[in-house]
Amino acid sequence: MVQTISNGSKPTMNGIDPALKPRLRRRSTFEYVAWVVSILFGAGILFSVSTNPNFKWDVVAKYFTHESILRGLMLTIFLTVASMVLGTLLGLVIAIMRSSSIKPIAATAGAFITLFRGTPVLVQLIFWFNISALYPNLTIGIPFTDIGTAIDTNALMGPITAALVGLTLNEAAYMAEIIRGGFSSVGKGQIEAADSLGMSAATKMRKIIIPQAMPSIIPATGNQVIGMFKETSLVSVLGVAELLQSAQLIYARTYETIPLLIVASLWYLVMTLVLSYPQSKLEQKYSHTSARVPRKSRKVVLTAPEGIAR
């Protein structure tokens, strides 16, 4: 009797691996009914939206690629990228501090995370925009000496700067917890092995902990990028001419509120879909639970009863 097995799979008859066979699922009548109801419901909504003249789709098409809308979109993308990069770097530092065995350092990082995760983003943005009411001037210099330079806080903390600072600090608190969770996923044996090799704390973090924590960190970071893109709409309260504020400036002049809000919403939806594709690919690549089936298996022929490979 001859059997054929593949590397990483169970012995099979006739060289067919059951794990590679497509699984068939019998569809119930309820599922077909649910499909019909869903299609009819969606078609009804689509027909109502497309035929309702109050939506003013001609106005939506007119302003969808308007110059001020596109400028606002570029500013939104800039705020998203800058806040995520700075927030991730700061979050990495805070996560390392939070994981420190030195209690004051860990407590400081914990207080930062608690403060910025426990207060609304909108409140933080307004606070940083009005920080000059508390500190009209900031002095940078050597403590207990007359050596220093005074900085006008009101001139320094403009709308865009306040938006960038507020979004970055808030994102750093969330990224710190995501990164710390990734650190916790690294096996204790890996850390003990690094200690037994005499690695320093910096080398252990750079070569052992961070590379193994990335599969847990990267998918969650993708969700944060999408969330940050939508959170930038909050900076419109500071007068920053991002996407939503650009739409508001136009409908304040033309009184076409709904069409301009639809324009902004469509751009948010388009960019969210664009960002969702690479995020899904990263999740597939770094997911711990994804099944990895070999693309090509090497066949080994065994002869019974000896079971000698040929």
Side-chain angles (χ1 to χ4, degrees):
M1 178 179 179
V2 178
Q3 291 182 335
T4 303
I5 65 172
S6 302
N7 291 345
S9 62
K10 297 181 180 180
T12 59
M13 297 298 296
N14 302 324
I16 301 175
D17 189 352
L20 301 179
K21 288 184 178 180
R23 295 178 178 244
L24 301 178
R25 184 175 62 86
R26 185 177 180 181
R27 299 181 184 275
S28 63
T29 305
F30 178 77
E31 184 172 354
Y32 288 109
V33 173
W35 270 111
V36 172
V37 172
S38 299
I39 291 174
L40 292 177
F41 184 73
I45 293 178
L46 183 62
F47 177 78
S48 174
V49 170
S50 60
T51 57
N52 190 338
N54 295 325
F55 281 94
K56 299 182 180 179
W57 292 109
D58 56 331
V59 178
V60 173
K62 174 184 176 182
Y63 286 105
F64 189 74
T65 56
H66 194 270
E67 182 181 358
S68 61
I69 295 292
L70 295 180
R71 281 201 307 266
L73 177 63
M74 292 299 105
L75 183 55
T76 296
I77 295 174
F78 165 75
L79 289 174
T80 302
V81 174
S83 299
M84 281 303 306
V85 171
L86 296 176
T88 301
L89 294 176
L90 182 58
L92 176 60
V93 174
I94 296 171
I96 295 173
M97 294 173 58
R98 188 75 175 87
S99 303
S100 175
S101 58
I102 303 175
K103 295 299 182 183
I105 295 178
T108 302
F112 177 91
I113 293 172
T114 301
L115 176 63
F116 286 96
R117 289 183 68 196
T119 54
V121 184
L122 183 59
V123 174
Q124 296 176 31
L125 291 171
I126 297 174
F127 175 83
W128 289 110
F129 185 65
N130 295 279
I131 191 65
S132 59
L134 297 176
Y135 297 98
N137 295 288
L138 291 177
T139 302
I140 301 176
I142 301 175
F144 308 110
T145 66
D146 294 333
I147 302 175
T149 302
I151 300 176
D152 185 3
T153 308
N154 195 26
L156 177 65
M157 198 62 68
I160 295 181
T161 305
L164 191 58
V165 170
L167 293 175
T168 297
L169 293 178
N170 181 265
E171 187 61 31
Y174 284 93
M175 285 304 303
E177 285 297 279
I178 292 174
I179 295 172
R180 189 173 69 88
F183 290 170
S184 301
S185 67
V186 180
K188 185 178 179 181
Q190 299 287 327
I191 300 175
E192 291 176 349
D195 292 334
S196 66
L197 293 174
M199 289 187 179
S200 64
T203 304
K204 181 172 61 177
M205 181 66 67
R206 188 176 67 255
K207 296 196 177 232
I208 303 297
I209 298 178
I210 292 180
Q212 296 189 56
M214 293 305 287
S216 299
I217 295 174
I218 289 182
T221 304
N223 289 327
Q224 289 298 114
V225 173
I226 295 175
M228 175 59 70
F229 182 78
K230 292 181 288 186
E231 280 185 0
T232 55
S233 61
L234 296 175
V235 305
S236 61
V237 300
L238 307 182
V240 178
E242 43 75 60
L243 179 57
L244 179 59
Q245 178 70 5
S246 299
Q248 289 175 334
L249 291 175
I250 294 177
Y251 73 63
R253 184 177 68 252
T254 62
Y255 300 102
E256 295 171 329
T257 305
I258 299 299
L260 268 301
L261 289 178
I262 293 176
V263 169
S265 300
L266 288 176
W267 271 119
Y268 282 117
L269 179 61
V270 168
M271 293 304 301
T272 299
L273 293 175
V274 170
L275 293 173
S276 297
Y277 179 76
Q279 182 213 2
S280 64
K281 292 300 181 182
L282 288 172
E283 288 182 351
Q284 292 176 8
K285 181 177 180 180
Y286 289 99
S287 176
H288 289 292
T289 59
S290 61
R292 292 178 172 86
V293 179
R295 294 184 180 179
K296 187 176 181 180
S297 302
R298 181 174 62 87
K299 294 183 178 180
V300 180
V301 179
L302 300 179
T303 58
E306 296 85 356
I308 302 174
R310 292 183 180 179

